[in-house]
Amino acid sequence: MLKKLVILLTFIMFNAAADDGSRLWLKYDLLKDARQRDGYASLIKYISINSDSPIIATAANELQMGFEGLLGKKVSISKNASGKTGGVVLEISADGANVQSLMDDGFAITAQKGNILISAKTPSGVLYGAFELLRNIQTGKSLSNLAFTSNPKVKIRMLNHWDNANGTVERGYAGSSMWKWTELPFRIDPRYIQYARANASIGINAASINNVNASSRFLTAEYLEKIGAVADVLRPYGIRVFISVNFRSPRTLGGLDTSDPLDSNVRKWWNDKTKEIHKYVPDFGGFLVKANSEGEPGPQDYGRTHADGANMLSEAMRPYKGVVIWRAFVYKADPNGDRFKEAYDQFKPLDGTFDPKVIVQVKNGPIDFMPREPFHPMFGAFPKTTLGMEFQITQEYLGQSTHLTYLAPMFKECLDSDTYAKGKGSTVAKVIDGSLESHQNSLMAGVANTGSDANWTGHPFNQANWYAFGRLAWDYTLSSEQIAIEWIAMTMTKNKIAQDKIRTMMMQSLPIYVSYTYPLGTAHMMGEGHHYGPEPWLAKSGRPDWTSVYYHRADSVGLGFDRTGKVSNALSLYKPEVQRQWGNADECSLDYLLWFHHVPWTKKLSTGRTLWEELCVRYYDGVEQVKKMQVAWESMKSEIDKETFENVEGRLKIQKKEALWWRDACVLYFNTYSKMLIPSPLVPPTRTLDEVKKLVEIYHLR
Ligand code: BDP
């Protein structure tokens, strides 16, 4: 009787309130199927640990909390209780049979002698195994006959927060910063712990906590103490803290008259500062640096190279375990050049000159996180440099927090791309996991989409992109679908029909978004500065490569940026196999066509339509598909939590309105060049180009 009451109360506790999304994918709501619940509960009677590590305590507590929520059963934690059966046994072992094939963070889950054994070489490995077990229960998998081993593909699996000291977030669309700098170190916001749990549950083990456009303030003693307090919270979850640094800090903070990386006083300043950081953060992960990019200071200000700058910092880090992450996002304002080639050209001569502790972090594409970019030509072309991946989880160019866009397929498209660096199969994934060139370090970073919004990410579906990033950093061979299925089951609904519908929506969402914004390989046509909505007519800005016309190059003949040998020849940066894949306009995939070719409006494409017709069809189809997503969502009303349902419903309405905005803006604008009729049966926009242009002007009003 009492047991039933407890179950009922737990059920009410976890299900009564509307879901504000704050629990992310760690809801641990009571499983509704009593038989399933009892089945799991019969296998889980106690939790045993064999270590005093705080990370193991985290793992055991998480399991306890998860079992209590999911199964309605309080399970005790005891030390070295593995003799009995029916236990979840957390075991660190240096050389047991179970751990032989494991890397540091890897884990094995096996059914042994009536127990579920989670073994690993390190506490973090056990923690990841614990979360894997919980995920199995959350997603309704069987726990009998467990025999599962998992190793991370990438060593540093990291979020990059572009959060500022004043509480704003650069390119953040989910409220203000989650870090409360004015309160730290005295008050620890409980959300830091939720954040740490969420990250640990998907294998993220690193976080750089401030904007890459960095303020020196983060290196003052006052802020280091605050950062130390954050690091203390994250440590039991296996997460190490990194700091983005301003290269000019020796001057602004240290009172030196230079920040020249070859100056001995400057080097001493960084050595001392690094030592000081370690007093506050003994397991400091390292520095993240944006230098000589978009006005940020850097070694080139002193006639030095990126390698000079990075190696100076790595010298400072030499006594410690951490690394130096140097970003490759650099470009000069050259109206005649091609920004596509900038990073490659600047870094290529430096291959082989970076200290092994340095990781060069490269964005997935050569321009800037556009919805669909070809993979960055640096991947596969820098054998002597450790290259890390930088994805953008926050959706600067992908609908921010109003468009439903599931990013896993985009991340995977890049990771699966073949660079042909060492013949077929030299994928980008193998470059960044270090295996292609046998590098020791490996890194996958994602620019975070977290903020102060109750549900962390604004759009409820944006949570899936945080989740997918972590899962892929752990194992990029997981399919986008599989990741979506897990996430849906843990967050949205247990109803199988609704799960399928949501999965379909998610899997179609990226192609839909691309259709009405950047079809056929167009790029960079968004509103200036805020990067919201369409502004393909933008022709004047602070720099030519901040305009739209620089990228789409529309004229009376056609559309697209010719990057073949005839014009910019950026294609030559790729291996011959890749050049062949994209170099011929007749064979180039339509997804990338206008990245590499200036195609006549009248040219017949493989679809049988002319470029102009195809463009129109895609813009229009994108809008129609959004309407279909709305219908699909409405059909699930009874299966989804009311608050979540209405939240998504409202955002889908915005998405439809804005898809129409993109469609009309682009079709009407490009029509001034093509001068061709919008093909029937498509109905021409009812508003004029001038009317649509006014819509974006609103965003520039001060
Ligand atoms: C661009 C953003 C800008 C960032 C920059 C970067 O528009 O806010 O500072 O990237 O990555 O995408 O440094």
Side-chain angles (χ1 to χ4, degrees):
M1 179 64 198
L2 190 66
K3 191 175 149 206
K4 279 201 177 135
L5 193 68
V6 170
I7 291 176
L8 186 72
L9 283 176
T10 320
F11 182 79
I12 291 169
M13 198 170 84
F14 281 102
N15 291 275
D19 192 347
D20 65 1
S22 58
R23 295 175 299 156
L24 293 158
W25 45 89
L26 300 176
K27 290 186 175 160
Y28 302 153
D29 287 338
L30 190 72
L31 298 176
K32 290 193 177 136
D33 180 339
R35 272 187 51 198
Q36 188 189 36
R37 222 163 46 218
D38 291 346
Y40 287 135
S42 68
L43 299 170
I44 299 169
K45 299 193 179 112
Y46 67 94
I47 300 163
S48 166
I49 54 178
N50 75 341
S51 149
D52 292 325
S53 150
I55 296 183
I56 297 292
T58 305
N61 291 337
E62 189 73 31
L63 286 171
Q64 191 180 50
M65 180 163 50
F67 297 151
E68 189 172 357
L70 290 158
L71 311 178
K73 175 176 178 180
K74 182 110 183 161
V75 178
S76 63
I77 302 171
S78 36
K79 197 109 188 258
N80 297 323
S82 56
K84 300 183 273 169
T85 56
V88 175
V89 178
L90 309 186
E91 180 193 71
I92 300 195
S93 140
D95 51 11
N98 284 344
V99 299
Q100 262 160 23
S101 63
L102 296 184
M103 289 160 38
D104 272 359
D105 285 348
F107 60 85
I109 306 183
T110 45
Q112 265 183 32
K113 298 186 197 144
N115 288 325
I116 296 171
L117 188 60
I118 302 180
S119 0
K121 284 184 176 153
T122 61
S124 297
V126 169
L127 179 63
Y128 300 135
F131 276 112
E132 178 69 37
L133 182 66
L134 285 167
R135 188 163 31 242
N136 274 282
I137 300 176
Q138 286 173 285
T139 54
K141 297 217 177 92
S142 160
L143 299 189
S144 33
N145 304 323
L146 284 169
F148 184 83
T149 303
S150 183
N151 278 313
K153 299 271 186 213
V154 172
K155 285 189 184 155
I156 306 176
R157 305 171 295 277
M158 180 181 198
L159 288 186
N160 287 181
H161 291 274
W162 286 0
D163 293 29
N164 298 310
N166 65 4
T168 57
V169 182
E170 175 135 2
R171 309 303 175 190
Y173 311 105
S176 49
S177 175
M178 53 172 281
W179 309 115
K180 307 275 184 263
W181 295 112
T182 45
E183 298 174 2
L184 285 160
F186 303 110
R187 179 180 173 266
I188 300 296
D189 191 323
R191 276 170 67 98
Y192 304 156
I193 296 169
Q194 305 309 334
Y195 164 86
R197 289 176 56 226
N199 278 335
S201 75
I202 48 177
I204 289 173
N205 65 354
S208 65
I209 51 173
N210 61 314
N211 193 356
V212 286
N213 299 316
S215 158
S216 304
R217 199 193 296 188
F218 285 95
L219 292 178
T220 59
E222 189 185 345
Y223 270 74
L224 290 179
E225 195 184 356
K226 294 170 191 283
I227 293 170
V230 171
D232 289 345
V233 177
L234 303 187
R235 190 170 299 113
Y237 296 84
I239 301 168
R240 290 168 82 193
V241 162
F242 287 64
I243 305 176
S244 294
V245 292
N246 184 304
F247 201 78
R248 207 184 281 130
S249 299
R251 285 181 64 184
T252 46
L253 210 61
L256 302 184
D257 58 6
T258 177
S259 292
D260 181 349
L262 299 192
D263 181 285
S264 56
N265 289 327
V266 171
R267 297 178 90 88
K268 180 171 180 332
W269 188 87
W270 281 110
N271 289 350
D272 292 347
K273 186 51 79 180
T274 307
K275 195 169 172 194
E276 186 189 349
I277 294 172
H278 280 83
K279 278 200 287 182
Y280 296 97
V281 189
D283 56 349
F284 178 51
F287 298 115
L288 172 63
V289 195
K290 171 175 180 176
N292 292 118
S293 166
E294 300 187 324
E296 292 300 313
Q300 292 175 345
D301 303 348
Y302 308 93
R304 313 298 184 196
T305 68
H306 286 292
D308 293 330
N311 293 344
M312 169 192 70
L313 292 176
S314 100
E315 178 189 281
M317 286 297 287
R318 199 156 296 152
Y320 313 103
K321 268 188 132 178
V323 296
V324 174
I325 303 177
W326 194 268
R327 298 178 79 228
F329 180 65
V330 296
Y331 55 94
K332 295 191 292 273
D334 175 2
N336 300 316
D338 181 357
R339 180 164 144 190
F340 197 112
K341 300 193 287 188
E342 284 278 344
Y344 184 104
D345 286 348
Q346 282 195 44
F347 278 80
K348 186 66 184 164
L350 305 177
D351 189 27
T353 64
F354 287 99
D355 188 275
K357 247 184 187 305
V358 176
I359 303 174
V360 175
Q361 181 170 299
V362 184
K363 288 188 181 182
N364 56 285
I367 302 299
D368 188 14
F369 301 135
M370 293 289 122
R372 178 169 251 143
E373 295 202 29
F375 69 89
H376 201 300
M378 285 178 71
F379 294 120
F382 284 65
K384 298 186 194 122
T385 308
T386 307
L387 297 187
M389 172 63 78
E390 179 174 322
F391 284 127
Q392 195 181 42
I393 310 170
T394 190
Q395 292 165 232
E396 177 177 359
Y397 304 106
L398 280 128
Q400 302 190 356
S401 60
T402 44
H403 296 227
L404 195 166
T405 322
Y406 176 49
L407 299 182
M410 190 179 84
F411 298 158
K412 286 212 40 123
E413 187 167 305
C414 176
L415 292 164
D416 292 344
S417 297
D418 201 339
T419 69
Y420 289 92
K422 288 185 151 180
K424 199 168 165 43
S426 308
T427 58
V428 170
K430 286 187 186 161
V431 175
I432 63 117
D433 74 5
S435 63
L436 195 69
E437 302 290 350
S438 306
H439 289 300
Q440 279 308 301
N441 284 326
S442 54
L443 162 75
M444 200 191 290
V447 180
N449 63 354
T450 47
S452 61
D453 278 7
N455 72 359
W456 298 89
T457 58
H459 199 308
F461 275 87
N462 289 5
Q463 290 184 0
N465 293 331
W466 176 7
Y467 182 81
F469 167 78
R471 296 290 283 141
L472 287 173
W474 181 274
D475 182 0
Y476 53 70
T477 67
L478 293 174
S479 75
S480 305
E481 284 212 310
Q482 187 179 336
I483 296 170
I485 289 167
E486 286 174 7
W487 180 80
I488 296 163
M490 293 189 288
T491 56
M492 287 280 165
T493 175
K494 298 280 182 229
N495 177 293
K496 291 276 178 240
I497 298 171
Q499 286 180 347
D500 282 353
K501 283 191 193 170
I502 298 175
R503 191 195 63 217
T504 307
M505 277 173 74
M506 288 171 75
M507 290 306 294
Q508 291 175 345
S509 62
L510 182 73
I512 292 174
Y513 182 81
V514 171
S515 286
Y516 64 77
T517 55
Y518 295 101
L520 300 173
T522 44
H524 208 291
M525 301 195 295
M526 67 291 161
E528 187 180 16
H530 46 77
H531 295 176
Y532 197 71
E535 205 173 348
W537 45 84
L538 182 69
K540 276 210 188 88
S541 187
R543 307 162 45 110
D545 53 359
W546 286 352
T547 68
S548 299
V549 298
Y550 175 92
Y551 292 94
H552 63 62
R553 313 222 156 183
D555 57 21
S556 59
V557 178
L559 181 67
F561 198 140
D562 187 343
R563 291 191 164 96
T564 67
K566 282 182 259 154
V567 184
S568 99
N569 208 14
L571 252 174
S572 67
L573 307 186
Y574 293 102
K575 290 282 180 284
E577 292 86 342
V578 182
Q579 291 182 33
R580 279 199 287 280
Q581 184 179 297
W582 289 328
N584 178 338
D586 291 323
E587 285 159 21
C588 180
S589 143
L590 294 186
D591 290 339
Y592 296 107
L593 183 65
L594 302 177
W595 274 103
F596 295 108
H597 302 278
H598 190 73
V599 179
W601 298 110
T602 51
K603 183 180 165 67
K604 270 252 160 73
L605 305 182
S606 53
T607 56
R609 291 186 274 262
T610 64
L611 172 69
W612 168 249
E613 288 166 347
E614 188 64 35
L615 207 59
C616 293
V617 165
R618 296 204 179 203
Y619 282 122
Y620 274 76
D621 186 54
V623 175
E624 294 314 306
Q625 298 299 332
V626 175
K627 291 182 192 163
K628 286 191 183 148
M629 278 210 276
Q630 284 184 295
V631 174
W633 187 250
E634 289 301 325
S635 74
M636 288 179 273
K637 191 168 185 164
S638 59
E639 300 305 332
I640 311 276
D641 163 80
K642 187 168 183 286
E643 187 171 335
T644 309
F645 180 82
E646 287 172 0
N647 191 344
V648 174
E649 183 183 46
R651 286 173 207 261
L652 281 169
K653 284 184 189 155
I654 305 170
Q655 185 171 356
K656 188 191 92 185
K657 180 170 169 250
E658 294 181 350
L660 273 164
W661 177 21
W662 272 93
R663 183 195 81 178
D664 290 357
C666 295
V667 167
L668 291 169
Y669 170 72
F670 288 133
N671 191 238
T672 63
Y673 292 98
S674 78
K675 306 218 182 300
M676 292 162 80
L677 288 176
I678 292 174
S680 62
L682 306 179
V683 181
T686 48
R687 44 191 170 182
T688 65
L689 181 57
D690 279 345
E691 282 165 352
V692 183
K693 280 186 177 177
K694 288 222 164 54
L695 296 175
V696 88
E697 279 168 21
I698 295 169
Y699 286 85
H700 293 301
L701 290 177
R702 311 196 98 222

